[in-house]
Amino acid sequence: MDVVDAIQGRRSIRAFQSKEVPQEIVEKLIDMAGWAPSAGNIQPWEFIIVRKPEIKRRLVEAALDQTFIEEAPIAIVVCANENRSSQGYGIRGKTLYCIQDTAAAIQNILLAAYSFGLGACWIGAFREEEAREILKIPYGVRPIAIIPIGYPAEAPPSPSRRPVTQIVHYEIFKGRYS
């Protein structure tokens, strides 16, 4: 699949078929995530694959009752290893670079999932400490996103986008604040 087609065609999917996602595809998604750029090539990401219904159910509660997490055959919880990033870049590594790096890995997962005919959704709205407890994530590793993944049971329309003329600035910022 052409990368431009993947970027423009991918949608946030919140309804899934009950069909299982093969383990080899899950491993390929993680492999693609690992190809994301990272500051100093530190690669501060960690991935937790969740298939067990009882764990997904608890994640639904942590994620403010976003029930489609439980409907997806798998959920990937993407974490940022703050300790790893801080060793290379101090506080900026811990508070910024590991988040940026992990976000790039998340985008790779979303695009790769779409290219494999899967649907996914990037969920950032969840109670972090509750997710940490459910998944036994150690301190120094921060859960950043929950990504439910499966075969889509919906085909959302293309969302509107701001035109390029409203978002590009040359040399100085001339934007509006609304």
Side-chain angles (χ1 to χ4, degrees), residues 1 10 16 25 32 35 38 70 72 76-77 83 91 96-97 102 104 124 131 137 141 146 161 163 170:
M1 174 178 287
R10 188 210 61 78
F16 302 94
I25 291 180
M32 293 299 97
W35 282 94
S38 65
E70 191 174 4
I76 299 175
V77 179
N83 293 336
I91 193 69
L96 178 62
Y97 298 161
T102 305
I137 299 169
V141 176
I146 301 169
R161 296 290 181 213
Y170 295 96

Side-chain angles (χ1 to χ4, degrees), residues 33-48:
W35 282 94
S38 65
N41 197 32
I42 288 176
Q43 304 173 46
W45 37 72
E46 308 283 347
F47 305 96
I48 303 168

Side-chain angles (χ1 to χ4, degrees), residues 49-69:
I49 311 302
V50 180
R51 287 188 185 268
K52 292 182 179 175
E54 62 272 16
I55 303 292
K56 288 189 288 180
R57 193 169 305 113
R58 292 182 67 199
L59 287 175
V60 165
E61 293 170 14
L64 316 172
D65 295 320
Q66 295 183 72
T67 57
F68 60 95
I69 295 169

Side-chain angles (χ1 to χ4, degrees), residues 20 22 40 56 69 81 98 113 124 126 133-134 149 152 157-158 169 172 178:
E20 285 300 316
K56 288 189 288 180
I69 295 169
N81 189 319
C98 69
F126 61 93
E133 181 182 312
I134 293 164
I149 298 174
S158 177
H169 310 276
I172 59 171
S178 56

Side-chain angles (χ1 to χ4, degrees), residues 7 10 22-23 28 32 38-39 43 57 60-61 80-81 89 100 106 108-110 115 127 130 139 145 155 161 169:
I7 291 168
R10 188 210 61 78
Q23 183 63 24
K28 191 68 172 169
M32 293 299 97
S38 65
Q43 304 173 46
R57 193 169 305 113
V60 165
E61 293 170 14
N81 189 319
Y89 293 103
Q100 292 175 329
I106 293 166
N108 279 12
I109 290 172
L110 298 175
S115 77
R127 290 185 288 274
E130 195 172 330
Y139 286 95
R161 296 290 181 213
H169 310 276

